[in-house]
Amino acid sequence: MAFGSLLIVGMPILTALVGLFGSLGLVMLLTKVMEVPDFTMSVAIMIVLGVGVDYALFLVTRYRTALRAGRGPEDAAGEATATAGRAVLFAGVTVIISLTGMLFMGVGFVHGLALGCALGVLITMVVAVTLVPALLGLFGERRLRRWADRRSGAGTGWVRWNGFVQRRAAPLIVLGVVVTGAVALPALGMRLGSNDAGNLPASDTTRRAHDLKTEAFGVGSTATLTLAAELDGADRRALDTVMRRVSAADGVAHAARPLTSADGEAAMITVTPRTDAQDPATTELVRELREEILPEATAGTGTRFHVGGVTATFEDLADRMASRLAIFVAAVLGLSLVLLVLVFRSVVVPLLAVALTVLSLGAAYGVLVAVFQWGWAMSLFGVGRTGPLESYTPMTLMALLFGLSMDYQMFLLSRIKEAAETARDARDAIAEGLRASGRVILAAALIMAAVFGSFTLSPDRIMKQFGLGLAVAVLVQAVLVLAVAPAVLGALGSRAWWLPRALRRLPDLHVKGATKPAAEEAPVDSLA
């Protein structure tokens, strides 16, 4: 539907597949030198398929436009690589910057996930700007020109859309922000944690085993806590005091007799809560044991207690993620803003790009909370039971979404900036940018959302969260880019490209490369 040619369709598909296999090889090598979580491969597949098709789509579309403008195949390939190819490189670098921002979290397995996905994007980006021009060289000039000439008439769909947007700029901006904000509202109730077998579909044998254990031994039997004590010659009677205090706690269903090591230097008590691992009451029990019950029971005895076990470990992970999130956000936003300022030579445009990305990210969070925590339409996505979002999901999604959703802004804004050099005013430049890139942005968003959405069919709850979150964010971002961004830019006019005098000495990373003048310019792609 995007290309109108089965022959040309093979290029984005082949690009994505080559990038995919190259990425899988790099991830496998990465596992030899550092800890990489088992779902990294699945996330990398999702990302590489999405960006691989998108990057090739942008390159081939720009190549088609150059052919229509009267350039020969070789010059058209050069122009596509120098313009859309540069935008692909900057978009890919933005994704990589967002992913490497996860290194600031200070969690080992998160580093493996970040580097695995970043390597996937890197090799896909390189494949796109090398393999696609080479593939175009395999086709005959006559065949390519026949393909490029299809629908070569000057369509008016995106021109009419730009006129509609400019006439109703203020209502569209307000509507876009209000609707997206409403979708994002559930994110205010986001709860982080870890899911267990109880969140699997009821037909799953692991879920059935979980339910049998819960029914026989209580809901807390799957969320036991381990109290480990360093005795260091302390009076063993201190353990009796601890046992009495722990057993009397409101959230404790049972505390097993202490097990002492052979050398008498360590002891262990297994505590069964009254609630399951995902209940906020269990989180409160962990906090109460650490901050109140155990310190008071061991005061003056020389005994030191630590609260561990799988449940407590995941609570600690959630706390660690939450405490480092501000640093991560600052790192990603700061690096991305610097790159965008260098590319677009503007302060306003990068701020607009970041704001729209944050809105789409909020919408993705809101949908995830509504489905996985509140249970809205959860049967549609094969979710067995409601529960918290995985502790690393918001951070990982932000890294992925911030980079991926920025692609469409990069391509639209680069075309608008390019058109602004010859357009009469800002609105004409916006119209030209939309006419040149609107159709391909819409097609790319639908393709990427379809790729991501297919991962909601996975039995893995983590992949369902990533797939749904990414699909929602990409679709919302495309709508904002094609509706709200032109409205804001039209309202601001030339002020959108304002750059303070103090920043004008910064290096200029041109998205537009040098191109040969064509004898005769032809219309570019349109919706019609």
Side-chain angles (χ1 to χ4, degrees), residues 59 80-91 129 509-514:
L59 281 162
T81 306
T83 52
R86 289 185 181 218
V88 163
L89 291 178
F90 288 127
V129 297
L509 303 180
H510 293 283
V511 174
K512 179 183 178 182

Side-chain angles (χ1 to χ4, degrees), residues 94-430:
T94 305
V95 179
I96 293 172
I97 287 175
S98 299
L99 288 168
T100 52
M102 294 165 63
L103 300 178
F104 290 93
M105 300 304 292
V107 179
F109 81 90
V110 171
H111 296 169
L113 174 63
L115 291 178
C117 293
L119 287 173
V121 174
L122 176 62
I123 193 170
T124 305
M125 181 174 63
V126 173
V127 167
V129 297
T130 54
L131 181 61
V132 172
L135 289 174
L136 289 170
L138 294 177
F139 298 101
E141 179 176 355
R142 182 178 301 177
R143 181 179 297 176
L144 286 172
R145 286 204 176 277
R146 284 202 306 266
W147 163 69
D149 289 339
R150 296 173 188 170
R151 304 179 184 176
S152 59
T156 58
W158 288 106
V159 176
R160 289 197 302 268
W161 171 250
N162 180 66
F164 173 82
V165 168
Q166 301 306 329
R167 289 192 301 271
R168 297 168 177 81
L172 275 176
I173 295 171
V174 173
L175 182 64
V177 173
V178 169
V179 172
T180 309
V183 176
L185 276 178
L188 297 176
M190 182 187 297
R191 186 163 65 89
L192 303 181
S194 178
N195 297 280
D196 54 24
N199 296 104
L200 296 172
S203 59
D204 190 281
T205 56
T206 307
R207 165 68 183 275
R208 291 163 63 187
H210 175 276
D211 292 345
L212 286 172
K213 184 178 180 180
T214 299
E215 183 179 350
F217 302 102
V219 294
S221 61
T222 59
T224 55
L225 304 173
T226 300
L227 310 186
E230 300 177 71
L231 299 178
D232 292 338
D235 188 350
R236 303 300 190 273
R237 289 176 296 182
L239 292 177
D240 297 332
T241 303
V242 171
M243 281 292 298
R244 288 195 300 270
R245 293 293 304 274
V246 171
S247 299
D250 292 338
V252 174
H254 174 70
R257 293 176 60 83
L259 296 178
T260 307
S261 63
D263 60 6
E265 294 299 316
M268 182 180 72
I269 302 173
T270 300
V271 176
T272 303
R274 296 184 183 276
T275 51
D276 64 22
Q278 299 173 28
D279 196 307
T282 305
T283 303
E284 179 59 26
L285 175 61
V286 172
R287 186 203 63 78
E288 187 178 353
L289 286 170
R290 287 173 170 169
E291 299 178 7
E292 300 175 15
I293 296 176
L294 294 176
E296 293 174 2
T298 58
T301 65
T303 303
R304 293 185 297 276
F305 264 93
H306 307 279
V307 180
V310 175
T311 302
T313 297
F314 281 118
E315 294 296 340
D316 293 341
L317 180 60
D319 291 342
R320 178 62 178 267
M321 293 294 184
S323 66
R324 306 278 293 185
L325 193 59
I327 299 175
F328 168 72
V329 172
V332 172
L333 292 182
L335 292 174
S336 298
L337 277 173
V338 169
L339 178 63
L340 292 172
V341 168
L342 295 178
V343 171
F344 293 115
R345 307 294 295 172
S346 165
V347 172
V348 178
V349 169
L351 289 175
L352 172 62
V354 169
L356 295 185
T357 302
V358 170
L359 281 174
S360 63
L361 180 66
Y365 286 165
V367 171
L368 288 180
V369 170
V371 173
F372 290 92
Q373 281 186 217
W374 297 357
W376 293 7
M378 68 177 187
S379 60
L380 182 64
F381 299 100
V383 178
R385 194 185 69 176
T386 59
L389 299 183
E390 295 291 338
S391 56
Y392 46 82
T393 295
M395 175 266 302
T396 307
L397 278 180
M398 179 179 179
L400 295 173
L401 295 176
F402 202 89
L404 294 174
S405 60
M406 195 70 75
D407 288 357
Y408 306 127
Q409 301 193 63
M410 183 73 74
F411 288 108
L412 175 64
L413 294 173
S414 64
R415 292 306 296 264
I416 292 176
K417 182 181 180 183
E418 189 176 327
E421 298 177 4
T422 56
R424 290 178 302 176
D425 55 33
R427 294 192 175 189
D428 283 347
I430 295 169

Side-chain angles (χ1 to χ4, degrees), residues 1 8 16 19 105 205 214 273 300 323 410 441 460 508 513 524:
M1 293 176 65
I8 305 299
M105 300 304 292
T205 56
T214 299
S323 66
M410 183 73 74
I441 287 174
D460 190 332
D508 188 356
V524 295

